[in-house]
Amino acid sequence: MPPEFLPVVARPQVRPATEGWSQKLDGEGRPLLQFASPKRGKPPAHFADLTVEQRKARLVELGMPAFRAKQIATHYFTHFTSDPADMTDLPAANREELVTGLLPPLMTEVRRLATDRGDTIKFLWKLHDGALVESVLMRYPGRITLCVSSQAGCGMNCPFCATGQAGLTRNLSAAEILDQVVRANRALANGELGGKKKGETTPERVSNIVFMGMGEPLANYARLMHAVRTMVAPQPEGLGMSARHITVSTVGLVPAIGKLADEDIPVTFALSLHAPDDELRDELIPVNSRWKVDEALDAAHAYFEKTGRRVSIEYALIKDMNDHAWRADLLAEKLLARGRGWVHVNPIPLNPTPGSIWTSSEPEVQDEFVRRLNAAGIPTTLRDTRGKEIDGACGQLAAADA
């Protein structure tokens, strides 16, 4: 019997609920949303927080010629080092004082976990104030991807997310975001990420960035954009990366999506949707109480129209919660109502937790969800998941060490 004629079997509807922790609520009993960063001590001022002109001015303030800024940038953004001993082109007399003042340590590695195949490393970093953040380095055929954190903790309070359990600690500085990339590139240069296949010609540096680590990137907008501009700036002033290989993800901060579209930087935009109906998404993604599904999809479509860049829809498939066939049909209907060719859907099997309501869909349910979207003409690809054996889901490692 053709798949479209198979009988639809009714499945239960599991409702989102926290397990092992209590969700913070506001005065009206709704999940608390934190958009503003709590007041904490600022991280050390760092060379990477400055624009190119500000770097030159800073060197002049320190009594050095402006061209020294380019030398320091070359060491940090091209050779991925903050060690004064590596910078022999700087005057020896005050080299250590100059470099440590401009490139103070921002992150201390607390732990790292690697997969057995050696193609994924998860780093746990401690910041100057004791806050913990994570980044994940992954080798794929033809590319090396780094999943980057933009905040310590997160204020979006999604009940399935390990990062959101403790709320928002603070925004990361632009330099703290960039230092995750620099440190990953240093690890690559040292040969610390295995899994390279014989004959592989991929350069040993991060080629792709996904802002899908800890935090809501668009809630830390100014520092996010400074970091992105530095990532795409040509070396040695920046990291020389392609904007098209940088993915900025959001749970749906609609006004900030509009700002991102106006930046004229062709990053890939990803909307973490996870449910096409407001009834479920209100519980699953609390920011949906501010901006509903259709508002978020309208903003995503406007991003496509403004930039010409196809949008990604991220959709974590959770057993009996959001993986029903009718939801695939509804999602296709909503996307097609805004046109064709503007969007790609990435269903993501949730990292399974035995005995939890937060567990991955059955393989045949995943396949049917994907089949229905593709049959409707929506390009859909089930995402390859990484890091299950090393607490790869965002926030798991920090929660274990907190």
Side-chain angles (χ1 to χ4, degrees):
M1 187 179 291
E4 59 267 30
F5 296 113
L6 289 175
V8 176
V9 178
R11 289 192 289 113
Q13 173 66 67
V14 173
R15 309 307 304 184
T18 60
E19 294 182 341
W21 62 287
S22 297
Q23 198 172 30
K24 293 180 180 178
L25 304 177
D26 64 17
E28 298 177 10
R30 296 176 302 192
L32 178 68
L33 294 168
Q34 295 173 271
F35 293 99
S37 178
K39 299 287 186 186
R40 289 173 68 100
K42 291 184 178 180
H46 193 279
F47 186 80
D49 287 314
L50 306 176
T51 65
V52 172
E53 291 306 313
Q54 287 171 339
R55 295 170 197 166
K56 293 176 183 177
R58 180 71 181 125
L59 266 296
V60 172
E61 285 175 16
L62 294 172
M64 306 287 286
F67 73 83
R68 297 290 184 202
K70 187 172 183 179
Q71 291 177 304
I72 293 169
T74 300
H75 288 294
Y76 186 68
F77 292 119
T78 303
H79 303 308
F80 315 121
T81 183
S82 302
D83 188 347
D86 296 331
M87 305 185 191
T88 54
D89 53 348
L90 298 177
N94 61 347
R95 181 191 308 153
E96 186 153 347
E97 181 183 1
L98 174 69
V99 174
T100 54
L102 291 172
L103 301 173
L106 297 175
M107 309 190 307
T108 303
E109 184 177 329
V110 177
R111 256 175 101 192
R112 75 166 66 180
L113 297 174
T115 56
D116 290 340
R117 292 186 300 177
D119 57 7
T120 303
I121 299 175
K122 184 165 190 175
F123 299 94
L124 178 65
W125 308 104
K126 181 176 287 187
L127 308 181
H128 80 101
D129 55 357
L132 298 172
V133 296
E134 302 169 3
S135 48
V136 185
L137 185 62
M138 297 162 281
R139 184 189 298 280
Y140 295 93
R143 72 185 192 276
I144 296 175
T145 297
L146 184 70
C147 183
V148 173
S149 292
S150 55
Q151 297 179 308
C154 184
M156 297 300 100
N157 208 358
C158 300
F160 64 91
C161 179
T163 304
Q165 293 184 18
L168 176 62
T169 301
R170 67 170 173 86
N171 287 331
L172 298 192
S173 67
E176 288 171 326
I177 295 171
L178 290 162
D179 206 41
Q180 294 172 65
V181 189
V182 171
R183 297 287 291 269
N185 278 329
R186 168 50 56 188
L188 286 163
N190 292 339
E192 295 168 24
L193 182 68
K196 189 171 184 177
K197 292 181 172 56
K198 188 176 181 181
E200 188 177 331
T201 57
T202 306
E204 287 298 277
R205 55 172 299 194
V206 173
S207 60
N208 292 60
I209 297 289
V210 290
F211 280 94
M212 297 180 183
M214 298 175 71
E216 163 53 56
L218 295 188
N220 188 16
Y221 191 87
R223 296 166 191 85
L224 165 77
M225 292 314 304
H226 179 94
V228 168
R229 291 187 193 100
T230 306
M231 288 172 183
V232 302
Q235 289 179 315
E237 280 79 14
L239 288 163
M241 302 184 72
S242 166
R244 295 173 182 271
H245 294 163
I246 297 172
T247 298
V248 177
S249 175
T250 179
V251 292
L253 277 62
V254 167
I257 297 171
K259 286 176 66 178
L260 184 66
D262 291 335
E263 291 286 352
D264 200 27
I265 302 176
V267 297
T268 297
F269 172 69
L271 174 63
S272 295
L273 192 68
H274 307 312
D277 54 306
D278 286 321
E279 182 183 5
L280 176 60
R281 198 170 191 263
D282 281 349
E283 299 177 56
L284 197 58
I285 309 290
V287 81
N288 205 68
S289 64
R290 293 279 188 99
W291 300 287
K292 297 299 186 182
V293 169
D294 284 326
E295 293 175 274
L297 290 177
D298 284 344
H301 184 256
Y303 184 89
F304 165 77
E305 290 202 310
K306 176 83 176 182
T307 66
R309 299 283 292 139
R310 190 170 68 164
V311 169
S312 292
I313 299 292
E314 308 294 322
Y315 197 106
L317 286 168
I318 306 166
K319 183 179 179 181
D320 293 335
M321 190 178 296
N322 66 350
D323 60 355
H324 304 85
W326 69 265
R327 284 197 164 93
D329 296 339
L330 178 60
L331 177 58
E333 178 186 323
K334 286 179 175 285
L335 298 179
L336 290 172
R338 292 164 173 83
R340 291 182 179 270
W342 71 277
V343 71
H344 182 274
V345 177
N346 281 318
I348 310 159
L350 195 77
N351 278 348
T353 305
S356 170
I357 62 168
W358 305 104
T359 194
S360 56
S361 304
E362 300 294 340
E364 61 272 17
V365 173
Q366 291 180 15
D367 293 345
E368 176 64 7
F369 198 93
V370 171
R371 187 197 70 76
R372 284 176 178 256
L373 286 166
N374 278 319
I378 305 293
T380 303
T381 307
L382 194 68
R383 184 189 288 175
D384 172 29
T385 56
R386 288 285 185 92
K388 290 180 184 178
E389 67 200 83
I390 56 170
D391 290 334
C394 169
Q396 289 181 348
L397 195 55
D401 275 64

